[in-house]
Amino acid sequence: MVMFFEVLLVIFSIALIAIVLLQKGKSAGLSGAISGGAEHLFGKTKARGMDLVLQRVTVGVAAGFIILAIVVAVLK
Protein backbone atom coordinates (compact mmCIF):
# COMPACT_ATOMS: atom_id res chain seq x y z
CA MET A 1 0.00 0.00 0.00
CA VAL A 2 2.80 2.41 0.88
CA MET A 3 4.60 1.57 -2.36
CA PHE A 4 1.47 2.47 -4.35
CA PHE A 5 1.27 5.89 -2.68
CA GLU A 6 4.99 6.50 -3.22
CA VAL A 7 4.70 5.71 -6.94
CA LEU A 8 1.67 7.99 -7.13
CA LEU A 9 3.65 10.72 -5.36
CA VAL A 10 6.47 10.45 -7.90
CA ILE A 11 3.94 10.68 -10.76
CA PHE A 12 2.35 13.77 -9.19
CA SER A 13 5.74 15.41 -8.67
CA ILE A 14 6.78 14.85 -12.29
CA ALA A 15 3.40 16.15 -13.47
CA LEU A 16 3.72 19.24 -11.28
CA ILE A 17 7.19 20.00 -12.66
CA ALA A 18 5.97 19.57 -16.25
CA ILE A 19 2.90 21.76 -15.76
CA VAL A 20 4.90 24.56 -14.14
CA LEU A 21 7.45 24.48 -16.95
CA LEU A 22 4.68 24.71 -19.57
CA GLN A 23 3.39 28.00 -18.16
CA LYS A 24 4.42 31.37 -19.52
CA GLY A 25 6.37 33.80 -17.41
CA LYS A 26 4.25 36.52 -15.84
CA SER A 27 6.68 39.33 -16.56
CA ALA A 28 9.26 39.91 -19.25
CA GLY A 29 12.35 41.13 -17.46
CA LEU A 30 12.71 44.52 -15.85
CA SER A 31 10.12 46.26 -18.02
CA GLY A 32 7.49 43.71 -16.99
CA ALA A 33 8.42 44.14 -13.34
CA ILE A 34 7.92 47.91 -13.54
CA SER A 35 4.84 48.18 -15.72
CA GLY A 36 3.18 44.78 -15.45
CA GLY A 37 3.56 44.24 -11.72
CA ALA A 38 0.81 46.66 -10.78
CA GLU A 39 -1.59 45.14 -13.28
CA HIS A 40 -1.09 41.67 -11.84
CA LEU A 41 -1.34 42.99 -8.29
CA PHE A 42 -4.71 44.63 -8.81
CA GLY A 43 -6.09 41.94 -11.10
CA LYS A 44 -6.53 43.98 -14.25
CA THR A 45 -5.30 41.18 -16.47
CA LYS A 46 -7.20 37.92 -16.53
CA ALA A 47 -5.78 34.58 -17.55
CA ARG A 48 -7.48 33.26 -20.67
CA GLY A 49 -7.40 30.08 -22.67
CA MET A 50 -4.53 27.72 -22.10
CA ASP A 51 -3.05 29.89 -19.31
CA LEU A 52 -6.24 29.54 -17.30
CA VAL A 53 -6.37 25.76 -17.85
CA LEU A 54 -2.72 25.36 -16.82
CA GLN A 55 -3.27 27.52 -13.76
CA ARG A 56 -6.23 25.45 -12.58
CA VAL A 57 -4.50 22.14 -13.31
CA THR A 58 -1.46 23.35 -11.38
CA VAL A 59 -3.59 24.08 -8.32
CA GLY A 60 -5.21 20.63 -8.50
CA VAL A 61 -1.96 18.73 -8.98
CA ALA A 62 -0.24 20.74 -6.23
CA ALA A 63 -3.07 19.96 -3.80
CA GLY A 64 -2.88 16.27 -4.71
CA PHE A 65 0.89 16.32 -4.25
CA ILE A 66 0.62 17.85 -0.79
CA ILE A 67 -2.08 15.40 0.31
CA LEU A 68 -0.10 12.43 -1.01
CA ALA A 69 3.07 13.65 0.70
CA ILE A 70 1.22 13.83 4.02
CA VAL A 71 -0.32 10.36 3.50
CA VAL A 72 3.08 8.83 2.70
CA ALA A 73 4.63 10.51 5.73
CA VAL A 74 1.89 9.23 8.03
CA LEU A 75 2.01 5.68 6.65
CA LYS A 76 5.79 5.38 7.02
Side-chain angles (χ1 to χ4, degrees), residues 39-65:
E39 291 176 4
H40 289 297
L41 180 64
F42 297 114
K44 291 184 180 179
T45 59
K46 303 280 185 185
R48 299 191 191 273
M50 191 59 142
D51 290 334
L52 181 62
V53 171
L54 285 174
Q55 183 179 12
R56 290 184 178 167
V57 170
T58 302
V59 170
V61 172
F65 175 79

PDB file of all heavy atoms in Angstrom, residues 39-65:
ATOM      1  N   GLU A  39      -0.409  45.728 -12.651  1.00  0.00           N
ATOM      2  CA  GLU A  39      -1.587  45.142 -13.281  1.00  0.00           C
ATOM      3  C   GLU A  39      -1.898  43.777 -12.695  1.00  0.00           C
ATOM      4  O   GLU A  39      -3.049  43.440 -12.475  1.00  0.00           O
ATOM      5  CB  GLU A  39      -1.380  45.042 -14.790  1.00  0.00           C
ATOM      6  CG  GLU A  39      -1.343  46.383 -15.489  1.00  0.00           C
ATOM      7  CD  GLU A  39      -1.048  46.246 -16.961  1.00  0.00           C
ATOM      8  OE1 GLU A  39      -0.949  45.104 -17.446  1.00  0.00           O
ATOM      9  OE2 GLU A  39      -0.902  47.283 -17.621  1.00  0.00           O
ATOM     10  N   HIS A  40      -0.863  42.977 -12.429  1.00  0.00           N
ATOM     11  CA  HIS A  40      -1.092  41.671 -11.836  1.00  0.00           C
ATOM     12  C   HIS A  40      -1.532  41.796 -10.387  1.00  0.00           C
ATOM     13  O   HIS A  40      -2.314  41.001  -9.898  1.00  0.00           O
ATOM     14  CB  HIS A  40       0.172  40.813 -11.916  1.00  0.00           C
ATOM     15  CG  HIS A  40       0.488  40.365 -13.315  1.00  0.00           C
ATOM     16  ND1 HIS A  40      -0.353  39.542 -14.025  1.00  0.00           N
ATOM     17  CD2 HIS A  40       1.543  40.625 -14.115  1.00  0.00           C
ATOM     18  CE1 HIS A  40       0.179  39.320 -15.217  1.00  0.00           C
ATOM     19  NE2 HIS A  40       1.328  39.967 -15.303  1.00  0.00           N
ATOM     20  N   LEU A  41      -1.024  42.805  -9.701  1.00  0.00           N
ATOM     21  CA  LEU A  41      -1.344  42.988  -8.294  1.00  0.00           C
ATOM     22  C   LEU A  41      -2.816  43.338  -8.110  1.00  0.00           C
ATOM     23  O   LEU A  41      -3.484  42.815  -7.221  1.00  0.00           O
ATOM     24  CB  LEU A  41      -0.458  44.083  -7.695  1.00  0.00           C
ATOM     25  CG  LEU A  41      -0.676  44.398  -6.224  1.00  0.00           C
ATOM     26  CD1 LEU A  41      -0.321  43.175  -5.377  1.00  0.00           C
ATOM     27  CD2 LEU A  41       0.168  45.578  -5.809  1.00  0.00           C
ATOM     28  N   PHE A  42      -3.327  44.194  -8.956  1.00  0.00           N
ATOM     29  CA  PHE A  42      -4.706  44.632  -8.812  1.00  0.00           C
ATOM     30  C   PHE A  42      -5.684  43.843  -9.675  1.00  0.00           C
ATOM     31  O   PHE A  42      -6.863  44.156  -9.718  1.00  0.00           O
ATOM     32  CB  PHE A  42      -4.820  46.133  -9.119  1.00  0.00           C
ATOM     33  CG  PHE A  42      -4.028  46.970  -8.157  1.00  0.00           C
ATOM     34  CD1 PHE A  42      -2.938  47.695  -8.577  1.00  0.00           C
ATOM     35  CD2 PHE A  42      -4.368  47.010  -6.818  1.00  0.00           C
ATOM     36  CE1 PHE A  42      -2.204  48.458  -7.693  1.00  0.00           C
ATOM     37  CE2 PHE A  42      -3.645  47.764  -5.924  1.00  0.00           C
ATOM     38  CZ  PHE A  42      -2.558  48.493  -6.352  1.00  0.00           C
ATOM     39  N   GLY A  43      -5.204  42.837 -10.370  1.00  0.00           N
ATOM     40  CA  GLY A  43      -6.090  41.939 -11.101  1.00  0.00           C
ATOM     41  C   GLY A  43      -6.672  42.508 -12.377  1.00  0.00           C
ATOM     42  O   GLY A  43      -7.761  42.114 -12.777  1.00  0.00           O
ATOM     43  N   LYS A  44      -5.983  43.414 -13.023  1.00  0.00           N
ATOM     44  CA  LYS A  44      -6.531  43.984 -14.247  1.00  0.00           C
ATOM     45  C   LYS A  44      -6.408  43.041 -15.429  1.00  0.00           C
ATOM     46  O   LYS A  44      -7.163  43.146 -16.379  1.00  0.00           O
ATOM     47  CB  LYS A  44      -5.838  45.309 -14.570  1.00  0.00           C
ATOM     48  CG  LYS A  44      -6.187  46.399 -13.595  1.00  0.00           C
ATOM     49  CD  LYS A  44      -5.567  47.712 -13.984  1.00  0.00           C
ATOM     50  CE  LYS A  44      -5.938  48.775 -12.986  1.00  0.00           C
ATOM     51  NZ  LYS A  44      -5.346  50.054 -13.294  1.00  0.00           N
ATOM     52  N   THR A  45      -5.444  42.138 -15.387  1.00  0.00           N
ATOM     53  CA  THR A  45      -5.297  41.181 -16.475  1.00  0.00           C
ATOM     54  C   THR A  45      -5.823  39.838 -16.008  1.00  0.00           C
ATOM     55  O   THR A  45      -5.518  39.380 -14.915  1.00  0.00           O
ATOM     56  CB  THR A  45      -3.827  41.035 -16.899  1.00  0.00           C
ATOM     57  OG1 THR A  45      -3.062  40.594 -15.775  1.00  0.00           O
ATOM     58  CG2 THR A  45      -3.271  42.344 -17.419  1.00  0.00           C
ATOM     59  N   LYS A  46      -6.627  39.224 -16.835  1.00  0.00           N
ATOM     60  CA  LYS A  46      -7.204  37.923 -16.526  1.00  0.00           C
ATOM     61  C   LYS A  46      -6.533  36.865 -17.385  1.00  0.00           C
ATOM     62  O   LYS A  46      -6.212  37.099 -18.544  1.00  0.00           O
ATOM     63  CB  LYS A  46      -8.707  37.925 -16.823  1.00  0.00           C
ATOM     64  CG  LYS A  46      -9.480  38.986 -16.088  1.00  0.00           C
ATOM     65  CD  LYS A  46      -9.746  38.543 -14.692  1.00  0.00           C
ATOM     66  CE  LYS A  46     -10.627  39.580 -14.013  1.00  0.00           C
ATOM     67  NZ  LYS A  46     -10.852  39.336 -12.655  1.00  0.00           N
ATOM     68  N   ALA A  47      -6.322  35.693 -16.782  1.00  0.00           N
ATOM     69  CA  ALA A  47      -5.777  34.583 -17.548  1.00  0.00           C
ATOM     70  C   ALA A  47      -6.868  34.050 -18.473  1.00  0.00           C
ATOM     71  O   ALA A  47      -8.028  33.931 -18.087  1.00  0.00           O
ATOM     72  CB  ALA A  47      -5.293  33.497 -16.599  1.00  0.00           C
ATOM     73  N   ARG A  48      -6.511  33.753 -19.705  1.00  0.00           N
ATOM     74  CA  ARG A  48      -7.482  33.258 -20.667  1.00  0.00           C
ATOM     75  C   ARG A  48      -6.911  32.047 -21.381  1.00  0.00           C
ATOM     76  O   ARG A  48      -5.709  31.895 -21.522  1.00  0.00           O
ATOM     77  CB  ARG A  48      -7.819  34.329 -21.695  1.00  0.00           C
ATOM     78  CG  ARG A  48      -8.433  35.572 -21.104  1.00  0.00           C
ATOM     79  CD  ARG A  48      -8.990  36.472 -22.200  1.00  0.00           C
ATOM     80  NE  ARG A  48      -9.347  37.777 -21.675  1.00  0.00           N
ATOM     81  CZ  ARG A  48     -10.524  38.045 -21.146  1.00  0.00           C
ATOM     82  NH1 ARG A  48     -11.416  37.120 -21.045  1.00  0.00           N
ATOM     83  NH2 ARG A  48     -10.782  39.252 -20.702  1.00  0.00           N
ATOM     84  N   GLY A  49      -7.798  31.196 -21.838  1.00  0.00           N
ATOM     85  CA  GLY A  49      -7.403  30.080 -22.675  1.00  0.00           C
ATOM     86  C   GLY A  49      -6.529  29.077 -21.960  1.00  0.00           C
ATOM     87  O   GLY A  49      -6.840  28.602 -20.870  1.00  0.00           O
ATOM     88  N   MET A  50      -5.426  28.752 -22.601  1.00  0.00           N
ATOM     89  CA  MET A  50      -4.528  27.722 -22.097  1.00  0.00           C
ATOM     90  C   MET A  50      -3.882  28.134 -20.769  1.00  0.00           C
ATOM     91  O   MET A  50      -3.625  27.291 -19.916  1.00  0.00           O
ATOM     92  CB  MET A  50      -3.458  27.423 -23.141  1.00  0.00           C
ATOM     93  CG  MET A  50      -2.676  26.202 -22.815  1.00  0.00           C
ATOM     94  SD  MET A  50      -3.772  24.801 -22.687  1.00  0.00           S
ATOM     95  CE  MET A  50      -2.772  23.565 -23.407  1.00  0.00           C
ATOM     96  N   ASP A  51      -3.632  29.432 -20.576  1.00  0.00           N
ATOM     97  CA  ASP A  51      -3.054  29.893 -19.314  1.00  0.00           C
ATOM     98  C   ASP A  51      -3.980  29.591 -18.146  1.00  0.00           C
ATOM     99  O   ASP A  51      -3.536  29.165 -17.084  1.00  0.00           O
ATOM    100  CB  ASP A  51      -2.773  31.392 -19.360  1.00  0.00           C
ATOM    101  CG  ASP A  51      -1.637  31.751 -20.290  1.00  0.00           C
ATOM    102  OD1 ASP A  51      -0.762  30.880 -20.503  1.00  0.00           O
ATOM    103  OD2 ASP A  51      -1.622  32.878 -20.810  1.00  0.00           O
ATOM    104  N   LEU A  52      -5.265  29.806 -18.347  1.00  0.00           N
ATOM    105  CA  LEU A  52      -6.245  29.539 -17.298  1.00  0.00           C
ATOM    106  C   LEU A  52      -6.324  28.046 -17.000  1.00  0.00           C
ATOM    107  O   LEU A  52      -6.380  27.639 -15.839  1.00  0.00           O
ATOM    108  CB  LEU A  52      -7.620  30.075 -17.704  1.00  0.00           C
ATOM    109  CG  LEU A  52      -8.745  29.884 -16.701  1.00  0.00           C
ATOM    110  CD1 LEU A  52      -8.427  30.633 -15.410  1.00  0.00           C
ATOM    111  CD2 LEU A  52     -10.059  30.361 -17.284  1.00  0.00           C
ATOM    112  N   VAL A  53      -6.314  27.217 -18.033  1.00  0.00           N
ATOM    113  CA  VAL A  53      -6.366  25.762 -17.847  1.00  0.00           C
ATOM    114  C   VAL A  53      -5.130  25.290 -17.091  1.00  0.00           C
ATOM    115  O   VAL A  53      -5.238  24.516 -16.130  1.00  0.00           O
ATOM    116  CB  VAL A  53      -6.489  25.044 -19.207  1.00  0.00           C
ATOM    117  CG1 VAL A  53      -6.324  23.544 -19.044  1.00  0.00           C
ATOM    118  CG2 VAL A  53      -7.811  25.365 -19.869  1.00  0.00           C
ATOM    119  N   LEU A  54      -3.946  25.757 -17.502  1.00  0.00           N
ATOM    120  CA  LEU A  54      -2.718  25.357 -16.819  1.00  0.00           C
ATOM    121  C   LEU A  54      -2.692  25.827 -15.374  1.00  0.00           C
ATOM    122  O   LEU A  54      -2.205  25.121 -14.487  1.00  0.00           O
ATOM    123  CB  LEU A  54      -1.502  25.887 -17.575  1.00  0.00           C
ATOM    124  CG  LEU A  54      -1.141  25.157 -18.859  1.00  0.00           C
ATOM    125  CD1 LEU A  54      -0.005  25.870 -19.571  1.00  0.00           C
ATOM    126  CD2 LEU A  54      -0.768  23.720 -18.589  1.00  0.00           C
ATOM    127  N   GLN A  55      -3.232  27.003 -15.116  1.00  0.00           N
ATOM    128  CA  GLN A  55      -3.269  27.525 -13.759  1.00  0.00           C
ATOM    129  C   GLN A  55      -4.155  26.657 -12.867  1.00  0.00           C
ATOM    130  O   GLN A  55      -3.781  26.309 -11.748  1.00  0.00           O
ATOM    131  CB  GLN A  55      -3.782  28.959 -13.781  1.00  0.00           C
ATOM    132  CG  GLN A  55      -3.794  29.643 -12.439  1.00  0.00           C
ATOM    133  CD  GLN A  55      -4.296  31.064 -12.524  1.00  0.00           C
ATOM    134  OE1 GLN A  55      -4.839  31.480 -13.552  1.00  0.00           O
ATOM    135  NE2 GLN A  55      -4.142  31.817 -11.467  1.00  0.00           N
ATOM    136  N   ARG A  56      -5.311  26.273 -13.367  1.00  0.00           N
ATOM    137  CA  ARG A  56      -6.232  25.448 -12.576  1.00  0.00           C
ATOM    138  C   ARG A  56      -5.704  24.029 -12.386  1.00  0.00           C
ATOM    139  O   ARG A  56      -5.852  23.450 -11.312  1.00  0.00           O
ATOM    140  CB  ARG A  56      -7.600  25.428 -13.230  1.00  0.00           C
ATOM    141  CG  ARG A  56      -8.287  26.771 -13.109  1.00  0.00           C
ATOM    142  CD  ARG A  56      -9.669  26.758 -13.667  1.00  0.00           C
ATOM    143  NE  ARG A  56     -10.288  28.074 -13.480  1.00  0.00           N
ATOM    144  CZ  ARG A  56     -11.388  28.452 -14.060  1.00  0.00           C
ATOM    145  NH1 ARG A  56     -12.010  27.640 -14.901  1.00  0.00           N
ATOM    146  NH2 ARG A  56     -11.891  29.641 -13.829  1.00  0.00           N
ATOM    147  N   VAL A  57      -5.082  23.476 -13.426  1.00  0.00           N
ATOM    148  CA  VAL A  57      -4.503  22.135 -13.310  1.00  0.00           C
ATOM    149  C   VAL A  57      -3.341  22.156 -12.323  1.00  0.00           C
ATOM    150  O   VAL A  57      -3.165  21.214 -11.542  1.00  0.00           O
ATOM    151  CB  VAL A  57      -4.069  21.611 -14.696  1.00  0.00           C
ATOM    152  CG1 VAL A  57      -3.258  20.342 -14.573  1.00  0.00           C
ATOM    153  CG2 VAL A  57      -5.277  21.374 -15.572  1.00  0.00           C
ATOM    154  N   THR A  58      -2.565  23.225 -12.314  1.00  0.00           N
ATOM    155  CA  THR A  58      -1.456  23.347 -11.376  1.00  0.00           C
ATOM    156  C   THR A  58      -1.956  23.333  -9.936  1.00  0.00           C
ATOM    157  O   THR A  58      -1.372  22.667  -9.077  1.00  0.00           O
ATOM    158  CB  THR A  58      -0.666  24.641 -11.637  1.00  0.00           C
ATOM    159  OG1 THR A  58      -0.199  24.635 -12.977  1.00  0.00           O
ATOM    160  CG2 THR A  58       0.507  24.774 -10.695  1.00  0.00           C
ATOM    161  N   VAL A  59      -3.030  24.047  -9.676  1.00  0.00           N
ATOM    162  CA  VAL A  59      -3.587  24.076  -8.322  1.00  0.00           C
ATOM    163  C   VAL A  59      -4.057  22.677  -7.911  1.00  0.00           C
ATOM    164  O   VAL A  59      -3.787  22.224  -6.794  1.00  0.00           O
ATOM    165  CB  VAL A  59      -4.742  25.103  -8.237  1.00  0.00           C
ATOM    166  CG1 VAL A  59      -5.483  24.975  -6.926  1.00  0.00           C
ATOM    167  CG2 VAL A  59      -4.206  26.507  -8.414  1.00  0.00           C
ATOM    168  N   GLY A  60      -4.715  21.974  -8.808  1.00  0.00           N
ATOM    169  CA  GLY A  60      -5.206  20.633  -8.500  1.00  0.00           C
ATOM    170  C   GLY A  60      -4.085  19.637  -8.261  1.00  0.00           C
ATOM    171  O   GLY A  60      -4.118  18.862  -7.299  1.00  0.00           O
ATOM    172  N   VAL A  61      -3.086  19.663  -9.125  1.00  0.00           N
ATOM    173  CA  VAL A  61      -1.961  18.730  -8.984  1.00  0.00           C
ATOM    174  C   VAL A  61      -1.148  19.068  -7.739  1.00  0.00           C
ATOM    175  O   VAL A  61      -0.688  18.161  -7.028  1.00  0.00           O
ATOM    176  CB  VAL A  61      -1.088  18.739 -10.258  1.00  0.00           C
ATOM    177  CG1 VAL A  61       0.183  17.943 -10.059  1.00  0.00           C
ATOM    178  CG2 VAL A  61      -1.867  18.175 -11.429  1.00  0.00           C
ATOM    179  N   ALA A  62      -0.979  20.349  -7.436  1.00  0.00           N
ATOM    180  CA  ALA A  62      -0.239  20.737  -6.234  1.00  0.00           C
ATOM    181  C   ALA A  62      -0.968  20.283  -4.969  1.00  0.00           C
ATOM    182  O   ALA A  62      -0.343  19.793  -4.028  1.00  0.00           O
ATOM    183  CB  ALA A  62      -0.022  22.247  -6.211  1.00  0.00           C
ATOM    184  N   ALA A  63      -2.285  20.424  -4.959  1.00  0.00           N
ATOM    185  CA  ALA A  63      -3.065  19.964  -3.804  1.00  0.00           C
ATOM    186  C   ALA A  63      -2.952  18.449  -3.650  1.00  0.00           C
ATOM    187  O   ALA A  63      -2.773  17.940  -2.536  1.00  0.00           O
ATOM    188  CB  ALA A  63      -4.527  20.382  -3.953  1.00  0.00           C
ATOM    189  N   GLY A  64      -3.040  17.720  -4.755  1.00  0.00           N
ATOM    190  CA  GLY A  64      -2.877  16.273  -4.713  1.00  0.00           C
ATOM    191  C   GLY A  64      -1.497  15.870  -4.235  1.00  0.00           C
ATOM    192  O   GLY A  64      -1.343  14.911  -3.469  1.00  0.00           O
ATOM    193  N   PHE A  65      -0.480  16.593  -4.670  1.00  0.00           N
ATOM    194  CA  PHE A  65       0.887  16.318  -4.251  1.00  0.00           C
ATOM    195  C   PHE A  65       1.050  16.499  -2.743  1.00  0.00           C
ATOM    196  O   PHE A  65       1.649  15.662  -2.071  1.00  0.00           O
ATOM    197  CB  PHE A  65       1.854  17.238  -5.007  1.00  0.00           C
ATOM    198  CG  PHE A  65       3.279  17.107  -4.556  1.00  0.00           C
ATOM    199  CD1 PHE A  65       4.058  16.052  -4.987  1.00  0.00           C
ATOM    200  CD2 PHE A  65       3.840  18.040  -3.703  1.00  0.00           C
ATOM    201  CE1 PHE A  65       5.373  15.922  -4.572  1.00  0.00           C
ATOM    202  CE2 PHE A  65       5.141  17.927  -3.288  1.00  0.00           C
ATOM    203  CZ  PHE A  65       5.913  16.856  -3.724  1.00  0.00           C
TER     204      PHE A  65
END
